[in-house]
């Protein structure tokens, strides 16, 4: 054993780095050993360490949308079963949205870490499994009306018991997923990450005595709480309200409303969603932890955008969320919720930032594209004869701020994921990318311009592919701040083989929503084109530096005609 770690400022910094390095190594294992592109290319997962009470002590958080689940899921399982449920070598899995998880595709795995007979901590991995059954390939049924249409739901159950496979559970899972080979590989990537977390934490415990390790993690949690409370206390006290309409739920064409009041009171924040619409019939509902993740994301953006405060359970103690049960931000059984995590949550972040703009306008971004632009597809690959399924998302424009233009082609701020490179995409799936580009003139005008959206055109090269989609912000575009213009909304079109023009899917196939549909079959030679939503502008366009406008025109971000119309003829050289 090394000399005892002194838990002063330096010692706590050493311990924090050691713990976060373990979480980062766990994430590397998942990325390098997984089968699905959503993990090894998209990085739609997070890896964590938690203490024996389920408190977060370290993370590699690739996907902030999972923050709420990370802080609730293990603790929920502990409260349901108690510590005695766990034994050395166990791995527990669950994806139940009514037990602290995000939505059906997100699977949380947890492994208890024992030092002798004593439970020391938990290693955890949470990730979006690309195909989990349900009514649609890719497990994103945009017209689902209950949770049973969304995929196989697992309460907390042991995938491994004492280090041995629970073979009966594996048989059930693999029989219900359309791509069992990928599930097998991705589950083992998660298990491998947990094993590495266990090994590295036990090694750390061998270097420093257990009492010091436990005391140090508690001190780090208390430190993070003090730091975040100090940042909140520097914000102006008050009650700041905002509301928004979301264009449809995938089943009915009617918009629904979300309302929030953000109360800053001393060193705490209360986000109250009272007054929001009752849960909707389609899958655009949020679970409680999804609404919580949005609150955490927005508050961290305002108080600690550089992530200088260690991310652990202490960061969450000053934040309280009121989300009425049975509302669109706290769905109750058997309501569907697959779209709430991916496409309502980013708009909740924008809503919270719009409320906070009344308190700290200099720290806030205008509305982002706010849609993950979920595209799901599956079928039998013509070259291999094997069934495939994929969940694909693309970058959109982010909102401008008081200091800079929005980012172009960025995956939504609640996920931080990467899109799949075209070379990998075309190698794995029978689709050819005819076009992939930024969309000129899409970003909202302003003193600082909104980020540009992306446009992609795909050609079907198989006899048939079954598609589903869950896009948003086609009819209700992202909103600007302080005189900034709205970003361009999304679009989703199809051109059947032999036809001359692209049409909306509701026109071509009679689906209820032009951007949310399930199990539409496209055939060889058909083309699918979609545009993601763009970011909104910040500030009056008249205040934009003319040289910046000329640069935009020269780079092709803004056309000369649009520049004259939005920024004045003097901003563009003849």
């Amino acid at each position: 054993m090394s000399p005892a770690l002194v838990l002063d400022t330096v010692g706590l910094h050493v311990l924090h780095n050691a713990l976060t390095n373990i979480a980062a190594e766990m994430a590397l294992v998942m990325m390098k050993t997984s089968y699905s592109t959503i993990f090894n290319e998209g990085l739609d997962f997070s890896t964590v360490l938690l203490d024996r009470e389920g408190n977060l002590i370290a993370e590699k958080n690739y996907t902030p949308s999972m923050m709420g689940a990370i802080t609730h899921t293990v603790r929920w399982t502990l409260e349901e079963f108690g510590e005695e449920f766990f034994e050395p070598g166990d791995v527990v899995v669950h994806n139940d949205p009514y037990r602290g998880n995000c939505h059906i595709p997100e699977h949380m795995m947890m492994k208890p870490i024992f030092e002798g007979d004593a439970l020391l901590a938990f290693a955890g991995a949470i990730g979006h499994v690309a195909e989990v059954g349900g009514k649609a390939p890719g497990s994103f049924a945009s017209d689902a009306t209950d949770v049973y249409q969304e995929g196989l739901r697992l309460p907390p159950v042991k995938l491994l018991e004492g280090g041995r496979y629970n073979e009966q559970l594996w048989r059930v899972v693999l029989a219900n997923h359309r791509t069992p080979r990928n599930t097998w590989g991705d589950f083992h990537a998660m298990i491998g990450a947990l094993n590495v977390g266990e090994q590295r934490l036990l090694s750390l415990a061998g270097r420093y005595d257990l009492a010091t390790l436990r005391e140090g993690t508690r001190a780090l949690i208390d430190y993070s709480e003090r730091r975040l409370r100090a940042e909140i206390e520097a914000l102006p006290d008050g009650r700041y309200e905002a509301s928004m309409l979301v264009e449809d739920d995938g089943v009915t064409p009617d918009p629904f409303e979300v309302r929030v009041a953000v109360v800053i009171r001393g060193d705490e924040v209360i986000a109250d969603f009272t007054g929001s619409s009752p849960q909707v019939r389609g899958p655009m509902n949020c679970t409680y932890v999804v609404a919580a993740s949005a609150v955490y994301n927005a508050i961290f953006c305002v108080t600690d955008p550089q992530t200088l405060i260690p991310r652990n359970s202490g960061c969450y103690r000053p934040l309280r969320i009121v989300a009425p049960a049975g509302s669109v931000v706290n769905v109750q059984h058997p309501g569907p919720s697959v779209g709430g995590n991916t496409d309502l949550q980013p708009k909740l972040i924008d809503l919270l930032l719009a409320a906070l703009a009344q308190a700290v306008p200099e720290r806030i971004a205008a509305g982002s594209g706010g849609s993950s632009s979920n595209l799901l597809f599956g079928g039998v690959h013509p070259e291999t004869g094997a069934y495939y399924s994929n969940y694909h998302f693309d970058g959109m424009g982010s909102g401008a701020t008081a200091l800079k233009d929005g980012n172009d082609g960025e995956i939504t701020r609640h996920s931080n994921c990467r899109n799949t490179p075209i070379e990998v995409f075309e190698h794995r799936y029978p689709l050819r990318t005819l076009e992939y580009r930024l969309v000129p003139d899409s970003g909202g005008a302003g003193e600082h311009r909104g980020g540009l959206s992306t446009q992609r055109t795909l050609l079907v090269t198989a006899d048939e592919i079954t598609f589903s989609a869950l896009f948003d912000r086609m009819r209700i575009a992202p909103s600007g701040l302080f005189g900034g213009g709205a970003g361009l909304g999304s679009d989703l079109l199809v051109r059947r083989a032999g036809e001359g023009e692209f049409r909306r899917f509701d026109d071509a196939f009679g689906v209820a929503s032009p951007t949310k549909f399930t199990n539409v079959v496209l055939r060889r030679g058909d083309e699918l084109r979609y545009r993601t939503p763009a970011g909104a502008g910040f500030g009056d366009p008249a205040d934009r530096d003319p040289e910046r406008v000329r640069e935009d025109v020269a780079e092709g971000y803004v056309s000369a005609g649009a520049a004259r119309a939005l920024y004045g003829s003097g901003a563009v050289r003849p």
Side-chain angles (χ1 to χ4, degrees):
M1 181 183 295
S2 299
L5 182 67
V6 178
L7 296 177
D8 55 10
T9 301
V10 174
L12 287 177
H13 189 73
V14 169
L15 179 60
H16 168 66
N17 284 346
L19 293 170
T20 54
N21 284 342
I22 293 172
E25 186 177 357
M26 293 167 64
L28 186 63
V29 169
M30 273 193 67
M31 180 181 70
K32 293 294 187 180
T33 62
S34 55
Y35 284 24
S36 297
T37 55
I38 195 171
F39 281 177
N40 51 45
E41 297 290 346
L43 304 182
D44 195 353
F45 65 86
S46 296
T47 49
V48 296
L49 294 173
L50 308 101
D51 67 17
R52 62 183 297 167
E53 288 82 30
N55 297 306
L56 177 68
I57 57 177
E59 65 177 18
K60 180 58 178 179
N61 193 346
Y62 280 131
T63 310
S65 66
M66 300 169 181
M67 285 189 289
I70 287 168
T71 57
H72 287 82
T73 305
V74 173
R75 184 174 295 167
W76 198 297
T77 304
L78 277 166
E79 290 178 359
E80 185 169 353
F81 295 107
E83 283 188 12
E84 60 276 8
F85 174 70
F86 296 97
E87 297 178 354
D90 287 351
V91 171
V92 173
V93 62
H94 98 74
N95 69 332
D96 191 342
Y98 311 115
R99 282 181 167 92
N101 219 325
C102 305
H103 61 173
I104 284 285
E106 234 86 276
H107 283 59
M108 179 70 170
M109 283 194 194
M110 60 198 84
K111 182 173 188 176
I113 301 173
F114 285 84
E115 176 70 12
D117 295 330
L119 178 62
L120 173 62
F122 289 91
I126 183 168
H128 184 123
V129 178
E131 164 49 57
V132 297
K135 68 180 293 186
S139 307
F140 246 75
S142 299
D143 60 354
T145 54
D146 65 44
V147 69
Y148 301 103
Q149 298 171 328
E150 295 186 312
L152 179 65
R153 180 163 62 109
L154 299 172
V157 286
K158 292 186 179 181
L159 200 61
L160 273 69
E161 295 184 87
R164 296 183 177 182
Y165 287 96
N166 180 350
E167 292 188 8
Q168 299 307 311
L169 177 60
W170 280 88
R171 286 166 64 88
V172 169
V173 170
L174 298 180
N176 279 274
H177 292 193
R178 291 179 177 84
T179 53
R181 180 181 180 275
N182 279 2
T183 295
W184 189 94
D186 291 344
F187 273 21
H188 278 83
M190 298 175 80
I191 292 168
L194 301 182
N195 290 340
V196 167
E198 177 186 39
Q199 294 163 12
R200 298 294 183 264
L201 190 64
L202 288 175
S203 176
L204 189 65
R207 190 182 315 163
Y208 309 116
D209 63 88
L210 290 180
T212 299
L213 195 59
R214 290 194 176 106
E215 183 183 352
T217 55
R218 286 195 294 267
L220 282 169
I221 289 173
D222 291 341
Y223 170 80
S224 294
E225 180 182 1
R226 290 195 305 273
R227 285 284 308 274
L228 192 66
R229 286 191 184 278
E231 294 292 339
I232 293 171
E233 200 162 19
L235 303 176
D237 282 1
R239 177 185 176 92
Y240 308 102
E241 299 184 7
S243 66
M244 69 174 179
L245 291 177
V246 181
E247 53 197 32
D248 65 71
D249 67 353
V251 174
T252 66
D254 304 320
F256 60 90
E257 184 179 26
V258 185
R259 304 182 63 86
V260 71
V262 179
V263 179
I264 302 174
R265 187 172 61 195
D267 62 357
E268 70 174 2
V269 173
I270 303 168
D272 186 353
F273 291 96
T274 299
S276 298
S277 292
Q279 67 186 58
V280 292
R281 190 165 179 231
M284 288 292 285
N285 300 296
C286 284
T287 64
Y288 173 83
V289 299
V290 169
S293 293
V295 174
Y296 303 151
N297 195 315
I299 296 301
F300 293 160
C301 283
V302 169
T303 58
D304 185 33
Q306 302 301 321
T307 320
L308 299 178
I309 302 173
R311 290 290 187 262
N312 55 48
S313 284
C315 294
Y316 305 109
R317 289 175 177 171
L319 310 178
R320 296 171 54 197
I321 295 95
V322 179
S327 71
V328 73
V329 291
N330 190 357
V331 63
Q332 298 296 285
H333 180 272
S337 60
V338 70
N341 188 52
T342 59
D343 261 60
L344 184 54
Q345 186 184 145
K347 285 180 279 294
L348 292 182
I349 299 169
D350 283 342
L351 176 66
L352 289 152
L353 291 176
L356 289 165
Q358 303 165 51
V360 282
E362 71 281 1
R363 302 189 187 188
I364 303 299
S368 70
S371 174
S372 297
S373 303
N374 311 278
L375 184 68
L376 302 306
F377 55 86
V380 176
H381 201 291
E383 295 179 5
T384 66
Y387 194 91
Y388 65 89
S389 179
N390 188 48
Y391 167 45
H392 183 74
F393 40 75
D394 249 322
M396 39 112 241
S398 67
T401 71
L403 300 176
K404 63 183 290 291
D405 293 344
N407 294 330
D408 306 316
E410 180 181 79
I411 304 297
T412 53
R413 64 161 56 96
H414 81 307
S415 68
N416 287 350
C417 295
R418 310 184 304 193
N419 64 0
T420 302
I422 290 175
E423 295 82 0
V424 175
F425 186 82
E426 293 188 346
H427 175 72
R428 298 282 294 268
Y429 310 113
L431 289 162
R432 185 178 307 147
T433 302
L434 303 180
E435 169 196 40
Y436 184 38
R437 64 185 178 93
L438 295 175
V439 180
D441 297 334
S442 57
E447 180 181 2
H448 296 286
R449 172 181 53 75
L452 302 186
S453 63
T454 62
Q455 180 167 296
R456 191 187 292 256
T457 303
L458 299 171
L459 173 68
V460 176
T461 59
D463 289 341
E464 65 176 48
I465 300 178
T466 301
F467 283 89
S468 300
L470 199 153
F471 283 53
D472 205 73
R473 283 200 160 152
M474 180 180 186
R475 290 179 288 158
I476 302 176
S479 300
L481 278 179
F482 307 112
L488 184 65
S490 64
D491 206 7
L492 182 56
L493 306 171
V494 62
R495 179 165 65 187
R496 310 304 301 275
E499 293 184 353
E501 297 182 354
F502 282 92
R503 294 189 288 162
R504 293 192 343 182
F505 274 79
D506 53 345
D507 177 41
F509 293 98
V511 293
S513 168
T515 56
K516 300 180 183 71
F517 53 80
T518 303
N519 291 343
V520 169
V521 176
L522 298 186
R523 304 187 187 282
R524 188 182 298 273
D526 292 346
E527 295 178 22
L528 183 149
R529 172 175 293 167
Y530 62 88
R531 182 184 70 227
T532 63
F538 187 107
D540 190 339
D543 294 331
R544 186 166 178 80
D545 182 350
E547 185 58 35
R548 299 291 302 279
V549 178
R550 287 190 281 270
E551 289 177 3
D552 282 344
V553 173
E555 296 291 339
Y557 295 135
V558 178
S559 67
R564 292 189 184 94
L566 295 169
Y567 299 106
S569 58
V572 183
R573 292 190 180 97

